Amino acid sequence: MRTYAQRRGRGILAALCSTALALALAALPGDSWAAPAPTTTATAQGAPARPAPGPSPDPSLPVHTLARADAPLDNPLKGFARFYQPGGNQNTGYPHALTWSYFGLSEVMKNAADCGSYDWSVLDAALDESASYGNQTALRFYIEYPGGSGSHPADAIPPCFAGHVANRTNAYWNTVSPDYDSAYLLDALKKFIAAFGARYDGDPRVGFIHMGLIGLWGEWHTWPYDTDTSSDAYPNYMPTDAHGAQIVQAYDKAFTHTKIEVRYPESAGGAADDLPAVGFHDDSFCYREGSPAAGVTLPVSMGGAGYSQLQKELDRGVENRWTTASMGGEVRPEIQPTAFASWPGGSGAVDDMKACLELEHTTWKMNEGSAAYAPDDPKVAAAVRLMGYDLGVDRAYFHDTAQGTTTIGVRMTNDGVAPFYYPWTVSLGLKDASGTVVKSWATPWDLRQVMPAKIRAFPDWGVGADPTYLDYGYARYFDTSVDLSGVAPGGYQLVMKAKNPLENVSAAAKKLRFATSGQNADGWLALGAMTVGSQSGGPHSYEAEATGNTLTGTAVRADCAGCSGGAKVGYLGNGATLTFNGVDGGTGGTRTVTVHYTTAESRTATVRANGGTAKTVAFAPTADWTTTATTTLTLDLAAGTGNTVTLANSGAWAPDIDRITVS
C-alpha cells in the first residue's frame, strides 16, 4: 500500500536542482501536473434557493424538548478515510468509519480472451474485511499507477486489450498509457462500469465511488502528457472530451444509489454539469502553493489560484452541486500532519481550513496522516463534526400515555455542511426496563430532507462581506402513526434509530448517532418515557392517513397543511371507504368518537363501528379544503384494540378525513 508521504512523486519536487523548473512546477495545481486552461461555459449559480420547510408539528401532540450533545467522531459516511491495508487493524488512529482503496482494472478483468469476464474477488475481499471492522469503503479503479500501490499493480491494463488497444509510454512517470480514445477500450470500459454498477450499486459495504479509470492513478490527468501541449513537447494522452463524457455518463447510469464523484468539475469538458448525482473529488484539499502562495481549493476571491477546485466550480456554475451529490477527496498529503493545528484558520501551506470545509461542503477526505492525531484534539474534532452531516433531534412529539394507534413526531436539525446522502431507514421503538427493544416500527422519514441550517456564501455571490452565513435548511418535522396493539401495558422508553445497512452485513457496523443527549451506542436515541396504558387513560387519536388503515375505491392519502400530521384521506364516498383499524375500546361499551374533517361544502357520511349499525352524520362546511373542523357521535366499541371504525357514503361524496379521536 502506498503511504501518503510517497504520493504522486511529490518528493521529486524537493529534489529538483533547477530553480526555474521548481518554480514552474510549484505553480501547478493540487498534484504534480499542469492545470488545463479554464473552460468556462457557465457563471456562478449564486446562493441556492432554500428548500421547502416541510410540515408543521401536530399541535395535538405534547412537546418533549431534547438537549444537544456532541455527535461521535466516527459517525458513518463522513470524516476521514484511512488507506486499506490487507490484514491491518482498521480501527487505530483518529476515529473514523471509512476506508479508502484503489484497485487495478486488470485485477478484475483477468481473462485475456474475454473483456466481458470479471473476477470481483479482490474487491469483495477488501469490502468484507473493511466491513468486519464496521467501516464502509470509498474506492477507485485505475489503469496506470506509477510504481504501483504496493498491494496493487503499476500496470493495470487488462490483458484482453492486447492486440486491440495501442499503448503509449509516459516517460515522466515511467508508466504505460493505453489509447483512451480507442473504440475497443471505450466499449470495454463502459461494459465494465455497467457490470460494476449491476453488482455493487447500493451495496451497504460501499460508501463512495470515484469514477477513476482515466489517467494516472485514475485521476483524469496524464501530466505532462496532457491537453496543454503549447509549452512542451509532450503529446496529449487524454481522451477527447466526447470520449471522456461517455465514461462519466456510464457511471451516472450504472450507479443510481451509491454516490459517485469525478475529479474535476471540468472533466470531459464538464460532462457532469447537468448530472446532479455526480459529485467532485478535491484531492489537494486546502493546500497553498506557488510564489506568491495561492490556494488550490478556495476561489480567487479568497486568495485561491485560477485553477483551484472551487474556482472551477464557480466557473462552471456547479458550486451548489453538494445539495445533491457528495464532495470527497484528500487532504493534501504534505499538510496532513498540521492541517488542523491552526483551526479554524490556517498557516503556511495550510489554507483557511474552516472556509475550505464550509464552501466546498466537504463530506469526507482521505487523510492517512490522521493516524497520528490525538483522539482528544478539540480542533480536529470541531472540523470532523462540521464535515458532512451533523444531525440532531431537538424535539419529540408524543403522548406520554398511549394505546392503540398513536402519532409520534420528531424535529431534526443539521449543523453540518452537507446533507446525509442516503435513504437509510428510520425506525421508532420501545425499550423495556432492561433496555431490550420490545417493539419497533419503520417510518417513511427521509434523512436526506434535513438540510444544513446555514451555508457560507461565496464572496463571488455578492451577498455580504466574508464570512456571510445564509439561512438555508429548516428544522425538519416528521411524524407517523404506530400501532401499539400487542404491547403489554407498562412503562417504556420511546426510542428512534437510523439503521446503517452495513448492520445487515457486519455486527461491528458503525452506528449513525445523533448530536443529542440520550443517544445510545447501540444506535437508538432516547426520545422520552412513554406509558402504554388502557383506554381509561384519556382520548386517543387515530390518523386517517396511517398505513394500518384500509382504503377502498378512490380513497387516497393526500397532503394537507392544516391537518394533523400534514395529511388526510380524500375522495371518500360514491362507494369509496376509509376504515380505521386497531381502535381501542378500553373495557368496551359506548365511546365518544370525534371526527376531524375538512370540506368546502356541506356533505354527509355514514360512520359505523365493526359490523354495527351505520350512523349518518352531517358535516358543515369548513373555510377551505385544508382547514379542519370536528363533529362528534357515539359508537359502541368492543373491549380491547380490535375495533374498526368505517366512514362511507354510497351515493355521494363524503368529507375529507383528517383523524378521529376516541374517548
Side-chain angles (χ1 to χ4, degrees):
M1 188 203 97
R2 66 176 175 83
T3 64
Y4 73 98
Q6 299 168 336
R7 189 171 186 270
R8 302 181 191 142
R10 283 176 177 139
I12 295 173
L13 298 180
L16 289 172
C17 58
S18 167
T19 302
L21 182 57
L23 290 174
L25 288 177
L28 298 177
D31 300 274
S32 304
W33 63 84
T39 54
T40 303
T41 59
T43 57
Q45 283 183 311
R50 294 190 74 182
S56 299
D58 183 342
S60 72
L61 297 176
V63 181
H64 301 73
T65 301
L66 305 178
R68 180 174 174 81
D70 285 337
L73 299 171
D74 60 348
N75 249 339
L77 299 181
K78 63 169 288 181
F80 300 140
R82 294 281 306 283
F83 289 99
Y84 171 66
Q85 302 185 61
N89 183 353
Q90 294 188 10
N91 289 336
T92 60
Y94 199 79
H96 59 283
L98 276 171
T99 300
W100 167 263
S101 186
Y102 290 92
F103 298 92
L105 186 59
S106 62
E107 296 180 275
V108 172
M109 294 174 63
K110 297 179 176 181
N111 192 328
D114 184 5
C115 277
S117 175
Y118 311 106
D119 178 355
W120 301 102
S121 57
V122 65
L123 177 53
D124 279 324
L127 296 179
D128 286 342
E129 184 175 356
S130 292
S132 73
Y133 285 96
N135 299 327
Q136 266 105 354
T137 297
L139 64 101
R140 174 197 301 160
F141 276 94
Y142 68 88
I143 294 178
E144 46 185 318
Y145 191 128
S149 71
S151 55
H152 300 284
D155 180 359
I157 298 175
C160 62
F161 284 11
H164 300 283
V165 180
N167 293 324
R168 297 82 54 87
T169 299
N170 184 322
Y172 189 92
W173 296 105
N174 194 30
T175 62
V176 178
S177 289
D179 178 4
Y180 291 110
D181 287 314
S182 161
Y184 189 92
L185 175 144
L186 290 168
D187 182 65
L189 292 189
K190 287 186 287 185
K191 289 178 178 177
F192 165 78
I193 293 166
F196 185 20
R199 183 177 178 93
Y200 293 100
D201 187 32
D203 190 313
R205 300 171 298 173
V206 180
F208 305 95
I209 291 176
H210 185 286
M211 288 187 182
L213 293 176
I214 303 299
L216 299 161
W217 301 280
E219 291 179 354
W220 288 72
H221 76 88
T222 48
W223 186 86
Y225 295 81
D226 56 10
T227 55
D228 180 15
T229 59
S230 61
S231 59
D232 60 44
Y234 298 107
N236 177 19
Y237 286 175
M238 284 294 287
T240 65
D241 287 345
H243 289 156
Q246 293 181 32
I247 303 302
V248 174
Q249 292 158 2
Y251 268 108
D252 184 63
K253 181 178 179 181
F255 289 92
T256 59
H257 297 89
T258 302
K259 304 309 291 184
I260 54 176
E261 300 167 358
V262 69
R263 172 63 180 93
Y264 302 105
E266 79 279 11
S267 292
D273 284 357
D274 298 320
L275 300 177
V278 178
F280 304 122
H281 189 93
D282 179 3
D283 69 0
S284 287
F285 183 70
C286 221
Y287 186 61
R288 299 176 76 239
E289 64 184 9
S291 181
V296 297
T297 291
L298 293 177
V300 171
S301 61
M302 300 182 71
Y307 52 75
S308 73
Q309 186 79 3
L310 290 177
Q311 187 60 49
K312 291 177 180 180
E313 291 185 23
L314 287 164
D315 289 343
R316 301 207 67 86
V318 293
E319 73 270 24
N320 296 322
R321 178 58 55 83
W322 62 272
T323 60
T324 55
S326 59
M327 300 292 135
E330 181 176 20
V331 177
R332 178 80 170 228
E334 293 94 320
I335 63 172
Q336 287 178 12
T338 59
F340 304 94
S342 298
W343 175 269
S347 178
V350 181
D351 212 338
D352 185 331
M353 182 59 68
K354 190 167 186 278
C356 288
L357 290 176
E358 290 177 329
L359 289 172
E360 189 179 85
H361 298 270
T362 304
T363 285
W364 70 279
K365 286 285 182 265
M366 291 179 268
N367 187 354
E368 189 66 11
S370 67
Y373 295 168
D376 59 352
D377 187 324
K379 297 179 179 179
V380 180
V384 168
R385 291 191 172 104
L386 185 62
M387 293 171 73
Y389 65 92
D390 188 31
L391 298 174
V393 178
D394 65 351
R395 295 179 185 176
Y397 303 79
F398 59 91
H399 293 289
D400 295 334
T401 300
Q403 181 70 5
T405 300
T406 189
T407 299
I408 298 171
V410 299
R411 194 175 78 166
M412 295 190 200
T413 60
N414 186 351
D415 290 325
V417 298
F420 188 79
Y421 290 108
Y422 286 95
W424 286 6
T425 299
V426 180
S427 295
L428 294 167
L430 291 176
K431 279 187 175 183
D432 63 16
S434 66
T436 300
V437 178
V438 298
K439 184 79 171 179
S440 64
W441 305 267
T443 77
W445 304 346
D446 190 344
L447 296 176
R448 296 173 297 180
Q449 296 177 343
V450 191
M451 285 288 184
K454 291 187 178 294
I455 59 174
R456 183 167 177 165
F458 282 87
D460 310 70
W461 292 350
V463 296
D466 184 66
T468 293
Y469 293 89
L470 306 176
D471 291 331
Y472 187 64
Y474 295 85
R476 184 81 183 196
Y477 175 76
F478 301 94
D479 70 13
T480 192
S481 295
V482 301
D483 184 1
L484 297 170
S485 300
V487 179
Y492 297 92
Q493 184 68 235
L494 179 64
V495 292
M496 181 187 83
K497 178 179 181 178
K499 184 179 180 180
N500 184 345
L502 192 64
E503 294 179 55
N504 296 328
V505 176
S506 170
K510 307 286 173 64
K511 311 297 191 295
L512 190 156
R513 288 142 292 171
F514 292 90
T516 305
S517 178
Q519 177 64 64
N520 298 299
D522 62 3
W524 290 100
L525 170 66
L527 301 177
M530 172 181 277
T531 299
V532 176
S534 65
Q535 181 64 45
S536 59
H540 296 275
S541 179
Y542 303 88
E543 294 290 334
E545 71 274 11
T547 56
N549 294 339
T550 303
L551 282 63
T552 68
T554 57
V556 64
R557 297 172 177 86
D559 292 339
C560 174
C563 295
S564 171
K568 64 181 178 180
V569 170
Y571 289 99
L572 288 170
N574 287 312
T577 64
L578 164 65
T579 298
F580 291 85
N581 297 310
V583 176
D584 186 12
T587 57
T590 300
R591 300 292 176 185
T592 298
V593 177
T594 301
V595 181
H596 301 249
Y597 71 94
T598 177
T599 177
E601 60 189 28
S602 297
R603 290 188 175 180
T604 62
T606 60
V607 185
R608 71 174 180 176
N610 305 318
T613 301
K615 295 186 177 183
T616 300
V617 180
F619 294 85
T622 56
D624 50 44
W625 289 101
T626 60
T627 300
T628 61
T630 62
T631 189
T632 60
L633 70 154
T634 59
L635 294 174
D636 290 330
L637 301 181
T641 59
N643 293 279
T644 62
V645 174
T646 301
L647 291 95
N649 187 324
S650 60
W653 290 115
D656 294 352
I657 304 302
D658 174 18
R659 60 189 171 113
I660 62 172
T661 56
V662 180
S663 56

